[in-house]
Amino acid sequence: MVTAFKDEPITNHFLDHNSQQQNEQILQINHLEIFYGEKRAVNGITLDIEKNAVTALIGPSGCGKSTFLRSINRMNDLIPGARAKGEIIYEDLNILSEDINVVALRKEIGMVFQKPNPFPKSIYENITHALKFAGIKKKSELDVIVEESLQKAALWDEVKDRLHKSALSLSGGQQQRLCIARTIAMKPTVMLLDEPSSALDPISNAKVEDLIVDLKKDYSIIIVTHNMQQASRISDKTAFFLSGDLIEYDATEKIFTNPSVKKTEEYISGRFG
Amino acid sequence: MEKLIPAKERLLKSNKKWMDGELRGKILVILCAVIMISVTISITIFLGSKGLQSFIHNGVSLIEFITSKHWNPTNQASPQYGALPFILGSFAVTFAAALVAAPLGIGGAIFMTEIAPSWGKKILQPVIELLVGIPSVVYGFIGLTVLVPFIREHVGGLGFSLLAGTIVLAIMILPTVTTIATDAMSSLPKNLREGSYALGATRWQTIRKVLIPAAMPNLLTAIVLGMARAFGEALAVQMVIGNVRDIPSNILDASATLTTIITLNMGHTTYGSVENNTLWSMGLILLIMSFAFILLIRYLSSRRKM
Amino acid sequence: MNSKTADRIATGVFITIAIIIISILVGLFYYILVNGLKHVSLDFLTSPSSNVRAGGGIRDQLFNSFYILLLTMLIAVPLGIGGGIYMAEYAKPGKVTDIIRSCIEVLASLPSIVIGMFGLLMFVNLTGWGYTILGGALALTVFNLPVIVRVSEDAIRSVPRDLKEASLALGITRWHTIKTVILPSAFPSILTGAILASGRVFGEAAALLFTAGLSTPRLDYANWNPFSDTSPLNIFRPAETLAVHIWSVNTQGLIPDVEEVSNGAAAVLVLSVLIFNLLARWIGSMIHKKITATK
């Protein structure tokens, strides 16, 4: 039954199913396949991502959800031998296309990683680093953006007195919020979060979760998570991946209360994965 | 930020402004890589063609050059260009140095990894690093002022000898051999040791029957790298070996090597003369030998992978 | 002989070997420093050498050594870092990369006398410069380049992938990422490696015999015009370095106090190399501390 989802008629079923809500779509993914060398990691996935919503990708390790996520801002380009087939449509452009300027793309589709990875620079410079490269040089302008993005990331109050201290002096949770802040500073439209709180303690985790819910007003968020509770708490839509296939994609509430596919139910109730 | 601009203009590569710096950077580093390749190639070509001139232009016989033991280029009537004594000298001193340095180096490595892994390494490691740091002329100078008189008074002969060259070179390549042998020993899987000890073997039995055979290809690499260094070393050897043109009959005889003859004569032979050109031919032999050492090391490391 | 006894004897042999290695080093350093430092004085360091008379110093040789080292590093470090960046960031696995790697291997294993001969051919005869500081520095660059490339490549490779991804994910180009994120993180290791390599360059003599020469013209340290023949800064003048000086006074010198001069020069040479080593360690750990500081 897994293979059945690769066929076109059934993928259309997803679209029909969601049509009641008719929300605006920010990304349309059609028959996306991703290969590492000869090995196929993602098997022809079709799904749409809603604007200003949190979409959670769940599934056991190695199911292809992170690979899928990384293909949306072409981070997979960095992996030798990785290639993608199919389409990811963003603003009427296929972003997998050869003539996409990945640098400009990544400004609009930002990414936050599993492990907090601030630059070994000051907190301030962490945020201004990419801004300066994008051409914003005026100190007054930078100051405003730094404060704004730290505010949005709910970090401003904790760091405003030590903006010029090393970012590495922050706690893990603060570092991760700084990473989110520096992505926000670029004013992206889509934010990709790859298990952003899995390396954090419960309190930091809760802060990051609140932040994500808060951010969806302005951004469309796709989050990969291993944590079922997290997915159910913060996401609007949930996609369940298994061995490179999309098993089920629906409103989060539906997935967690009444999934249509048995595999989903088994995974969510913790029977494997 | 610039969301008002249509997506096509924002996201397509047609907007080339950002690519300028990117391209410049790429060209810059590729240029560095190209320079490295061209230096290597030009060394091979220039030294190759210069080294062949004595055979092609000056009519020196290649066979005579590598098999005759008579070196007498300044004899006006019938100059002789047999470099065999120097070729033999180079090989003799290289093998002898390896013979001394290999047991010391590998022994030192085993001491650091097996006998006293905790404090042995802390002491011996910096010792090895300091030995690497001593410049080769300093080795040569100490050989000249300490070793040569010592051999003359206590062992015999002139002091300037194959033996002196061997000892100086052995000390010089000792750090190379020790470092690589230590890496080889410490990269052996732990269960090799545990397995052997579990069978009731003593430490020495474990070292001799299990660890040394397992690390053999790497230990050989260590020795070959040391030999490569010894073969090409010039000044330190030149200062202690005596530089005579005869084949030594024993280890206390003075001798000469390819590098010492080049060092000694390159300065006071006329550039372009036959004698000068034969020195370049000796340089070519050094170059070929350093390729040979690389091939040998590659062969050893391919054996390791199996 | 039973196995227990054999084991004990073997252990004894290994300990003896370790003691031999340590005594070699201690003996060498003792000899160099005890014999050498007696002759090292301010006068020795600041007076010019003599070709025939006793009592000469090493002023010019010392200056030449540092000057050639500086020039060599100015050429080799940027080139080597460029090569290291190429190998770590741009080279794709394949034939071309294998060839470059082989080239580095060949360069690294060339005997320094062979590099000196190449220098003689290229930088002395072909260019028509004669024996020059620049020729010496270029020969030493060839000698030094593979080390710097390897050090830089390793340092760049050991920068966490996270950092690189973080920068790229923010829409920063690869080259800008390399310049502003990767190189600063790799800098301490590159610096440490470069200083260690400096020690090697400083003591090198064989590659300089036929490129920078065995003599130094009369120098006027008040003359700062780099195009003047008597200026120490002139890069187109011959220059005997400290290491070359030790060799030349011992093998072709006429001065009566060969041993005193060589002892002193050897001590200065070894101490300089030692200082380079300590400096490398110290700077390495300083910067490491500063970067990972959790204040």
Side-chain angles (χ1 to χ4, degrees), chain C:
Chain C
M1 188 165 63
N2 72 29
S3 59
K4 275 249 170 67
T5 334
D7 188 53
R8 247 176 248 140
I9 293 173
T11 305
V13 170
F14 286 120
I15 293 175
T16 316
I17 288 175
I19 293 173
I20 291 175
I21 297 177
I22 295 170
S23 354
I24 289 174
L25 179 89
V26 172
L28 285 171
F29 265 81
Y30 182 82
Y31 183 86
I32 297 167
L33 297 181
V34 167
N35 285 306
L37 289 179
K38 297 199 283 247
H39 305 288
V40 179
S41 61
L42 199 61
D43 186 51
F44 181 67
L45 295 178
T46 56
S47 56
S49 63
S50 161
N51 287 332
V52 282
R53 257 174 311 214
I58 54 167
R59 181 190 69 187
D60 298 345
Q61 285 76 12
L62 200 56
F63 176 83
N64 290 340
S65 285
F66 279 105
Y67 195 41
I68 287 190
L69 171 64
L70 181 75
L71 272 180
T72 304
M73 286 319 213
L74 279 181
I75 308 168
V77 168
L79 214 55
I81 292 181
I85 293 174
Y86 179 81
M87 295 309 285
E89 291 290 328
Y90 289 91
K92 296 187 185 74
K95 269 232 162 75
V96 180
T97 307
D98 287 347
I99 291 173
I100 300 176
R101 225 170 259 296
S102 305
C103 285
I104 298 172
E105 201 182 344
V106 168
L107 284 183
S109 63
L110 283 181
S112 53
I113 184 94
V114 171
I115 293 173
M117 292 171 81
F118 173 68
L120 172 61
L121 212 52
M122 287 288 278
F123 313 127
V124 177
N125 290 330
L126 204 67
T127 55
W129 294 342
Y131 292 152
T132 60
I133 288 193
L134 183 61
L138 288 172
L140 286 182
T141 299
V142 174
F143 170 79
N144 199 19
L145 194 57
V147 182
I148 305 283
V149 171
R150 228 177 262 172
V151 165
S152 318
E153 187 188 343
D154 288 351
I156 290 167
R157 277 192 196 282
S158 63
V159 173
R161 217 182 69 163
D162 296 14
L163 275 186
K164 184 174 148 190
E165 287 195 335
S167 177
L168 291 173
L170 286 169
I172 294 172
T173 57
R174 191 162 166 188
W175 179 243
H176 195 72
T177 298
I178 291 170
K179 270 198 309 191
T180 57
V181 176
I182 296 180
L183 277 186
S185 300
F187 180 72
S189 322
I190 297 178
L191 185 69
T192 310
I195 295 176
L196 282 175
S198 300
R200 246 186 91 206
V201 170
F202 197 77
E204 176 56 34
L208 289 174
L209 292 184
F210 320 133
T211 50
L214 297 171
S215 63
T216 306
R218 188 185 297 271
L219 296 179
D220 173 9
Y221 284 85
N223 183 349
W224 282 53
N225 173 8
F227 301 103
S228 157
D229 283 345
T230 57
S231 167
L233 298 179
N234 184 351
I235 55 171
F236 288 104
R237 65 171 173 89
E240 185 190 42
T241 65
L242 202 54
V244 173
H245 188 58
I246 295 177
W247 179 77
S248 68
V249 295
N250 275 290
T251 53
Q252 7 191 277
L254 301 168
I255 47 173
D257 56 345
V258 169
E259 210 161 307
E260 283 80 4
V261 170
S262 321
N263 271 323
V268 173
L269 199 58
V270 168
L271 276 181
S272 308
V273 174
L274 208 61
I275 290 171
F276 280 123
N277 273 290
L278 294 176
L279 200 66
R281 270 159 213 265
W282 182 70
I283 290 181
S285 70
M286 276 287 287
I287 296 178
H288 183 77
K289 251 185 225 154
K290 203 173 163 195
I291 282 179
T292 55
T294 43
K295 272 174 271 173

Side-chain angles (χ1 to χ4, degrees), chain A residues 5 9-23 25 48 50 237-238 248-255 258-261:
Chain A
F5 289 99
I10 301 183
T11 41
N12 279 339
H13 146 89
F14 286 122
L15 299 177
D16 295 343
H17 191 86
N18 298 331
S19 58
Q20 305 123 323
Q21 293 145 12
Q22 268 310 337
N23 284 331
Q25 314 292 347
D48 293 346
E50 267 175 37
K237 306 266 303 230
T238 298
E248 190 167 358
Y249 178 46
D250 213 325
T252 299
E253 214 186 293
K254 170 113 189 338
I255 294 267
N258 183 23
S260 337
V261 185

